Amino acid sequence: MFAITHVDVFDGQSTQKNQAILVEGDTIHDIVPMEKATLPEQTFNGTGLTATAGFIDIQLNGCGGVLLNTDIQKKTLDIMNHTNLKYGTTQYLPTFITSGNDSMRNVIDLIGDIENRAADGILGLHLEGPFISKEKKGAHDPIHIRHLDEMTAYYLADHADKISIVTLAPENTSQSVIDILKEAGITVSLGHTNATYDELEAKVGLNMATHLYNAMSSFGSREPGAVGYIFDKKPHAGIIVDGIHCAYASVRIAHEILGEKLFLITDAVTPAGTDITEYDMAGIKAFVTDGKCHFEDGTIAGSAITMLDGIRNLIQYVGISREEALRMATLYPAKALNIDNKYGKLVSGYKANITLLSENNDIHSVYQMGVKRI
């Protein structure tokens, strides 16, 4: 057991001053005021710092100079996790975009071969495509875009212990296929979709939306589209807060409508956490210009932000409170994944994923599953 002492604790609801966090193994044993704490031999002084649950990134394609699609191996995931930790993220979904069948099977096998995924911050795999709309493909390679048939859906269902989310275009996917994924415990997220409101309303089991506003049919006066459907039905929805994918005012409007259903994601790719200005985006040369990741024709190709960048942008540009910005990076993604009984809060019995922030929201130190990593 060890303790983090004299620290202000944001537990997911409010901030408690001058607390001691007692950690045993990979779990928070207790959080108590300093004057009531019986401390173990090993302590870490957190004076002047705020402890929050570690950030959870549900959509992370790559960072730290690597991209999962271009290098399907454990070393890639290790670099992604190490980069995450430097910016306060303790859990994530490695995200694999549209590819051929062999590559998709390889990445599923890779996740399956990792004995202790939790220790590496991996909550499961996010398959973003290839079952999407060509009209809203974004940076995805149209050669590999295809419909999700029942045989493939059953294959994915058989690997539901490795796959957390499948992003797909509902207008190109039968209800029976959606049911197969949902019954296996896989979250079906609408994304890269050109569906009308009525097409989406006709489907059952769309519990999430991938990067709100981006690569989806927009909200209009005569056709509400996917954006209107999300605002109306309020599934959990991720949003990229880099000032490039959507205007900060649009983020604020979405937050006012969706509340705790809206969570922060990065959708980061190779350059995030680095000074890289050119990279390979799943076989296509891409660039970073003034913070924008893009192909030569200007098409956005992921982002270069970290979760910490997103939190700072929420506070500075969207006008959201520090506590709510932290919830959007911790508790709300945990709720979206239905793991908020163990992750997303600093509460007794929860996993010891703890990020310590300075007053200026700089990273001081990070604990992942009870291990001090930064």
Side-chain angles (χ1 to χ4, degrees):
M1 183 180 285
F2 67 87
I4 304 170
T5 64
H6 304 283
V7 67
D8 295 340
V9 175
F10 175 63
D11 60 12
Q13 300 300 326
S14 59
T15 301
Q16 308 301 321
K17 301 289 186 178
N18 197 30
Q19 302 287 299
I21 305 173
L22 305 177
V23 176
E24 186 171 12
D26 65 359
T27 303
I28 296 172
H29 176 72
D30 205 358
I31 300 176
V32 295
M34 276 302 301
E35 63 268 20
K36 296 181 179 179
T38 302
L39 299 176
E41 183 176 339
Q42 188 178 25
T43 62
F44 299 94
N45 191 333
T47 299
L49 302 173
T50 296
T52 177
F55 312 145
I56 301 171
D57 192 353
I58 285 179
Q59 191 172 356
L60 181 68
N61 312 280
C63 58
V66 297
L67 187 77
L68 185 56
N69 269 76
T70 60
D71 198 1
I72 306 170
Q73 60 172 321
K74 178 63 163 55
K75 181 181 177 182
T76 300
L77 298 175
D78 291 341
I79 292 171
M80 290 169 68
N81 185 45
H82 178 69
T83 305
N84 280 343
L85 290 167
K86 290 195 295 184
Y87 299 98
T89 297
T90 55
Q91 274 73 42
Y92 73 111
L93 296 186
T95 301
F96 196 74
I97 68 169
T98 294
S99 70
N101 275 324
D102 289 345
S103 295
M104 185 175 71
R105 289 173 182 268
N106 288 343
V107 77
I108 291 170
D109 290 342
L110 171 64
I111 299 298
D113 288 340
I114 300 171
E115 290 185 10
N116 189 356
R117 297 196 287 267
D120 293 325
I122 298 170
L123 294 172
L125 185 65
H126 181 169
L127 292 178
E128 186 189 354
F131 318 111
I132 59 174
S133 161
K134 287 187 177 180
E135 291 81 6
K136 294 293 182 180
K137 65 180 179 60
H140 292 231
D141 189 342
I143 292 174
H144 296 301
I145 293 174
R146 54 198 183 275
H147 286 197
L148 177 55
D149 57 52
E150 288 198 0
M151 183 178 296
T152 305
Y154 279 119
Y155 166 76
L156 297 178
D158 287 341
H159 295 275
D161 60 322
K162 310 169 192 72
I163 303 168
S164 293
I165 299 174
V166 173
T167 291
L168 51 76
E171 71 273 25
N172 297 334
T173 311
S174 69
Q175 184 63 57
S176 63
V177 163
I178 292 172
D179 291 343
I180 291 167
L181 298 182
K182 187 178 180 187
E183 288 167 11
I186 296 171
T187 296
V188 177
S189 185
L190 68 97
H192 288 274
T193 172
N194 202 35
T196 64
Y197 178 95
D198 289 343
E199 285 175 324
L200 293 171
E201 191 179 33
K203 298 293 166 66
V204 177
L206 306 177
N207 298 325
M208 189 180 289
T210 296
H211 45 49
L212 176 61
Y213 296 120
N214 297 110
M216 60 177 64
S217 46
S218 58
F219 180 76
S221 60
R222 297 179 183 86
E223 172 49 58
V227 174
Y229 173 87
I230 294 162
F231 285 164
D232 190 25
K233 301 301 181 181
K234 297 179 176 59
H236 296 279
I239 195 162
I240 309 164
V241 187
D242 60 357
I244 296 167
H245 280 79
C246 45
Y248 291 124
S250 297
V251 178
R252 184 168 58 253
I253 291 165
H255 180 258
E256 289 173 356
I257 294 171
L258 297 175
E260 68 176 31
K261 292 296 188 72
L262 188 71
F263 58 86
L264 181 66
I265 58 168
T266 64
D267 195 24
V269 291
T270 312
T274 75
D275 297 325
I276 291 172
T277 57
E278 294 186 10
Y279 62 103
D280 177 353
M281 180 62 178
I284 304 174
K285 189 173 184 179
F287 309 87
V288 185
T289 306
D290 297 328
K292 177 183 177 180
C293 296
H294 62 94
F295 291 146
E296 193 167 9
D297 66 1
T299 300
I300 294 177
S303 86
I305 66 166
T306 65
M307 288 290 280
L308 183 63
D309 293 327
I311 289 167
R312 288 169 169 166
N313 289 341
L314 283 169
I315 296 168
Q316 183 174 354
Y317 299 113
V318 182
I320 288 175
S321 71
R322 186 195 201 197
E323 290 188 347
E324 181 66 356
L326 291 175
R327 277 188 284 266
M328 288 181 66
T330 57
L331 180 58
Y332 297 166
K335 285 187 173 184
L337 292 173
N338 198 29
I339 56 171
D340 55 308
N341 62 331
K342 292 183 180 179
Y343 297 89
K345 295 182 185 178
L346 293 187
V347 179
S348 176
Y350 275 58
K351 295 300 181 183
N353 297 293
I354 305 164
T355 293
L356 296 185
L357 298 171
S358 71
E359 186 177 348
N360 296 323
N361 296 318
D362 293 323
I363 300 297
H364 179 275
S365 49
V366 178
Y367 299 78
Q368 184 179 51
M369 300 297 284
V371 177
K372 191 173 190 295
R373 301 295 299 269
I374 300 291

